[in-house]
Amino acid sequence: MIKAYDLGPLYASGIDGRGSTIVIVDSFGSPTIAHDLRAFDRGVGLPDPPSLKVFQPAGKVPPFDPNNSDMVGWAYETTLDVEWSHVFAPGANIVLLETPVSETEGVTGFPEIVTAENWAIDHGIGDVISMSFGATEQTFPSVGSLLGLRSAFQNAQRHGVTLLAASGDTGATDYELNLQDLYPVPVTSWPPSDPLVTGVGGTMLTLDDNGNRLAPDVVWNDGFGAGGSGLSTVFGRPDFQDGVRSIVGHQRGVPDISMSAAVDGAVVYYESFAPTGTIDGTCCWDLIAGTSEASPEFAGIVADANQVARHRLGNINDALYGLASLAYGQGPYGGSHGKSTGLVDVTQGNTTFGPFTNSDGNTYTVQGTAAGPGYDLASGVGTIDADRFVPALAFASSLNNR
């Protein structure tokens, strides 16, 4: 993955996120994360991060129960988030915020997440926050109940902290409140739909054994899942998407950018809280994927750019769409600077999801959107060549923060 995203030249020049702190937020966390990160680093040849700190500012997390599938699932999530943010910024500090209530759909779990994030922001804990979770907008009791959970995002905006969120793994649809059925119509989730957040979608990479690309990246949609995408029903089109109004219309479009997420091309991780060892029969390596992989990967990229800029980047959406305008001409700029921006266009694939069968016995397919030249609702502004993108993002964000 380091080679595929052209991270090597950055690392060789000392750009590895040092001086920055990535904040990971997960319900329950993992009881073995410190041990597992050290083992992961030894296995893949990375240095340990300068520090890994774990906080529970929203209340003490219940004791880990290996028979509780929800807690085990969040432990897998936590492991993925921490280990793969570290791959993309091996010099950055990592802070894990563990919350005591599982985030599912609707409001559940979010009050504790908001408390934890506000605590971290108020205490100057981190520079970029990655959220590998989301709830379908339609599962909130009302628009007001969703909007009432935005205080941490507004706090982050005031303090220059970058917010990222995974766009979801079910393409153009997402889960209903019962956590079993999928909506039979296009929907999207929050927080990636929030204009104060950068929504990170999914791609599928085709690589050889040495990490070289054999074909252009495509939108993740491999039969096991698909990158979340769509138009918000809560938030109108933000200013940074004015240049792509012909695509998003009057609504906020998701995702903004995309990174590796496909099950067909999953990443390796190490966990010892529920060892399976399915790769080679030994504890404790396994494979994992999803946009929950993409968000922490991009958090590492933001940490690298923080180091280049020598300050927090804050909300990067203006900078991101400004770079897209330079690269593709969708906006006020010329559209001939793709390589210099480090953006890589994703022009193949779609987010149509299905067929799937709901508890009503009916089978559905939800029509998504197809990738195409420039910005689209399947991949956002595309993906990245990190060696070029990191300095470009640092520069563009510095201009926007003047």
Side-chain angles (χ1 to χ4, degrees):
M1 199 69 74
I2 290 173
K3 188 170 186 179
Y5 280 106
D6 201 17
L7 286 158
L10 288 175
Y11 296 169
S13 65
I15 304 302
D16 59 3
R18 66 188 65 177
S20 291
T21 298
I22 299 169
V23 177
I24 302 295
V25 187
D26 281 305
S27 300
F28 303 135
S30 164
T32 58
I33 190 58
H35 167 270
D36 292 349
L37 179 58
R38 287 193 297 270
F40 176 81
D41 288 343
R42 289 193 298 270
V44 301
L46 285 175
D48 291 333
S51 70
L52 168 65
K53 297 180 180 179
V54 181
F55 299 102
Q56 299 178 355
K60 185 174 177 59
V61 169
F64 182 73
D65 179 359
N67 297 312
N68 183 322
S69 61
D70 195 26
M71 297 190 86
V72 170
W74 278 105
Y76 283 127
E77 178 62 63
T78 300
T79 306
L80 169 63
D81 291 347
V82 170
E83 291 178 357
W84 278 89
S85 64
H86 180 54
V87 171
F88 277 67
N93 302 301
I94 301 174
V95 166
L96 172 62
L97 300 180
E98 299 177 341
T99 64
V101 177
S102 179
E103 182 276 320
T104 54
E105 290 291 339
V107 172
T108 304
F110 275 113
E112 292 77 14
I113 289 169
V114 172
T115 296
E117 290 178 342
N118 271 320
W119 177 87
I121 295 164
D122 290 342
H123 287 81
I125 295 294
D127 307 299
V128 52
I129 297 175
S130 178
M131 300 172 283
S132 291
F133 48 78
T136 312
E137 290 180 339
Q138 285 77 4
T139 63
F140 288 86
S142 66
V143 170
S145 67
L146 186 158
L147 297 178
L149 295 166
R150 300 183 75 219
S151 67
F153 298 171
Q154 294 158 344
N155 199 8
Q157 183 88 345
R158 292 191 294 271
H159 287 84
V161 175
T162 306
L163 299 169
L164 311 175
S167 69
D169 299 341
T170 49
T173 184
D174 215 328
Y175 282 94
E176 297 185 15
L177 192 59
N178 64 12
L179 305 180
Q180 297 178 348
D181 293 334
L182 293 169
Y183 279 90
V185 295
V187 294
T188 194
S189 61
W190 180 87
S193 67
D194 200 296
L196 299 180
V197 175
T198 298
V200 186
T203 55
M204 182 173 73
L205 284 61
T206 304
L207 309 175
D208 65 17
D209 291 341
N210 295 316
N212 299 299
R213 277 184 167 83
L214 300 177
D217 296 358
V218 301
V219 174
W220 171 37
N221 196 340
D222 58 9
F224 300 99
S229 72
L231 296 170
S232 173
T233 58
V234 175
F235 300 99
R237 184 185 70 237
D239 290 345
F240 58 80
Q241 288 189 323
D242 281 349
V244 294
R245 59 169 60 88
S246 63
I247 298 171
V248 302
H250 297 291
Q251 297 165 269
R252 159 72 160 128
V254 179
D256 298 303
I257 198 163
S258 295
M259 299 286 286
S260 173
V263 176
D264 184 0
V267 293
V268 66
Y269 74 114
Y270 182 98
E271 58 81 13
S272 61
F273 55 84
T276 53
T278 59
I279 292 180
D280 59 5
T282 59
C283 177
C284 301
W285 296 91
D286 212 332
L287 297 172
I288 195 165
T291 57
S292 293
E293 168 199 339
S295 183
E297 286 175 346
F298 197 67
I301 294 295
V302 173
D304 296 335
N306 281 338
Q307 180 187 351
V308 173
R310 299 184 180 181
H311 59 73
R312 291 174 174 174
L313 302 188
N315 186 337
I316 63 169
N317 287 335
D318 282 332
L320 201 58
Y321 283 83
L323 292 175
S325 178
L326 282 171
Y328 311 132
Q330 292 172 307
Y333 307 118
S336 59
H337 304 279
K339 288 186 176 180
S340 64
T341 66
L343 288 175
V344 179
D345 204 0
V346 176
T347 61
Q348 299 178 56
N350 63 74
T351 59
T352 295
F353 198 80
F356 57 88
T357 302
N358 279 343
S359 58
D360 61 7
N362 292 321
T363 299
Y364 304 93
T365 295
V366 178
Q367 190 70 33
T369 56
Y375 171 86
D376 52 66
L377 280 169
S379 70
V381 299
T383 189
I384 65 165
D385 176 307
D387 186 39
R388 293 185 174 96
F389 178 77
V390 164
L393 179 64
F395 179 72
S397 296
S398 297
L399 288 178
N400 286 326
N401 288 331
R402 283 182 177 177

